[in-house]
Amino acid sequence: MASKLRIYLNAYDHKLLDQSAAKIADVAKKSGAEIAGPMPLPTKIKKHTVLKSVHVNKSSREQFEMRVHRRMVEIKDATQKTISSLTAVNLPAGVGIEIKQV
């Protein structure tokens, strides 16, 4: 049973994310599947503005941001061997993974 899988990865650290995407791509290649990627997706930036002082210096503010980096790996002709080898991959903490069957 051959199918097509899309694996979405997201993390705050882009270096850790690139290593994880490369690891998934290598495991998929070794199992005999054809892959496309890892493809970078747009980075989501969440900005928060906080007042420095409550009363007097209200116009003085600080801005903070969180960047969520994302990658996508598409696996074509995924077999049962490919899926079982992907579930055995240990990813570092801080990397979110979502697998969708297309």
Side-chain angles (χ1 to χ4, degrees):
M1 177 181 165
S3 63
K4 188 174 177 182
L5 296 175
R6 282 194 178 150
I7 301 173
Y8 294 97
L9 301 165
N10 56 13
Y12 296 119
D13 185 12
H14 65 91
K15 293 176 186 175
L16 194 64
L17 184 63
D18 289 333
Q19 291 171 358
S20 300
K23 187 186 290 186
I24 288 175
D26 288 341
V27 167
K29 282 181 186 177
K30 287 180 183 177
S31 68
E34 182 183 340
I35 68 160
M39 292 178 255
L41 297 175
T43 302
K44 289 187 177 179
I45 301 173
K46 298 177 185 175
K47 293 187 179 182
H48 300 283
T49 303
V50 179
L51 295 174
K52 282 186 180 179
S53 175
V54 182
H55 301 293
V56 179
N57 302 320
K58 189 165 184 163
S59 61
S60 175
R61 300 168 189 250
E62 283 185 300
Q63 289 187 334
F64 300 98
E65 68 180 25
M66 289 186 348
R67 292 178 179 254
V68 180
H69 302 278
R70 301 182 299 157
R71 303 286 184 270
M72 182 185 76
V73 179
E74 188 170 271
I75 300 175
K76 301 170 187 172
D77 301 328
T79 61
Q80 191 64 33
K81 180 183 174 187
T82 307
I83 295 170
S84 63
S85 63
L86 283 173
T87 56
V89 173
N90 287 331
L91 293 178
V95 176
I97 184 169
E98 182 180 346
I99 301 174
K100 290 185 180 180
Q101 188 171 3
V102 182

